[in-house]
Amino acid sequence: MKKIAAVALLSAFIAAPVAAEDMHMYIGANVGSAQIDAPGLDASTAFSVLAGHKFNSNFAAEVAYVNFGSVDVAPGNTVKSSAMSLSGVGSFPLNDQFSLFGKLGVASTTVEGTGFSEKNTGVTYGVGAQFDFDRQFAIRAGYDAYKIGDAVKEDETVMSIGAL
């Protein structure tokens, strides 16, 4: 699944410059801090890559791959997690350059640790702000939450900053 997801995202990155001539397609990358909402667990470094299609100034659809990193839950037991998501993005422009956004979608998550591996499909949501330098480059900051599994009942949250 990870190899298929990587090929799909790489294909989107390669095809995006050709399709982006009408400025409706975009690609981006984020880096930030991921945290499983459970007591005593440290945060990890997360990164994501995304591709989207902007239908108008208020609505877009995005596909993303997120690597939440890994965290030690006990001596010798490290948990790694990742997700593939598809979300609708609603934007509220405050002026020509600055907008607020909200995301709602579905994510397929994988959690792996010593002796177990679990896949789950659940809701993902997020909020953030975006600053457009021009029609080709923007930065965004966001907060996203993912349901990561049944064995691990907590959500995984990500605070990130990125470029589009």
Side-chain angles (χ1 to χ4, degrees):
M1 177 69 175
K2 287 184 182 180
K3 290 180 183 178
I4 293 170
V7 169
L9 283 172
L10 285 174
S11 298
F13 285 124
I14 293 167
V18 174
E21 289 181 21
D22 63 1
M23 297 311 295
H24 295 295
M25 298 288 295
Y26 59 92
I27 58 172
N30 297 319
V31 66
S33 177
Q35 178 73 50
I36 296 175
D37 294 335
L41 295 183
D42 293 330
S44 59
T45 300
F47 70 88
S48 63
V49 291
L50 60 99
H53 178 78
K54 194 170 187 178
F55 296 101
N56 58 42
S57 63
N58 298 106
F59 185 73
E62 268 181 21
V63 61
Y65 168 77
V66 184
N67 182 319
F68 298 114
S70 61
V71 62
D72 292 326
V73 294
N77 190 2
T78 299
V79 173
K80 300 184 296 184
S81 54
S82 62
M84 281 292 301
S85 67
L86 176 63
S87 301
V89 181
S91 295
F92 180 70
L94 298 177
N95 61 34
D96 288 342
Q97 293 181 297
F98 190 73
S99 60
L100 303 176
F101 65 86
K103 299 191 305 184
L104 180 63
V106 62
S108 174
T109 59
T110 302
V111 180
E112 298 173 330
T114 305
F116 80 96
S117 178
E118 181 180 1
K119 294 183 184 295
N120 188 50
T121 300
V123 172
T124 180
Y125 59 91
V127 295
Q130 180 170 313
F131 182 80
D132 299 324
F133 287 98
D134 56 32
R135 291 186 54 155
Q136 296 178 343
F137 182 71
I139 59 169
R140 71 163 48 163
Y143 169 87
D144 297 289
Y146 300 83
K147 173 76 174 144
I148 58 169
D150 293 325
V152 180
K153 300 247 183 249
E154 290 77 15
D155 289 346
E156 182 125 20
T157 57
V158 179
M159 297 282 293
S160 64
I161 188 162
L164 299 177

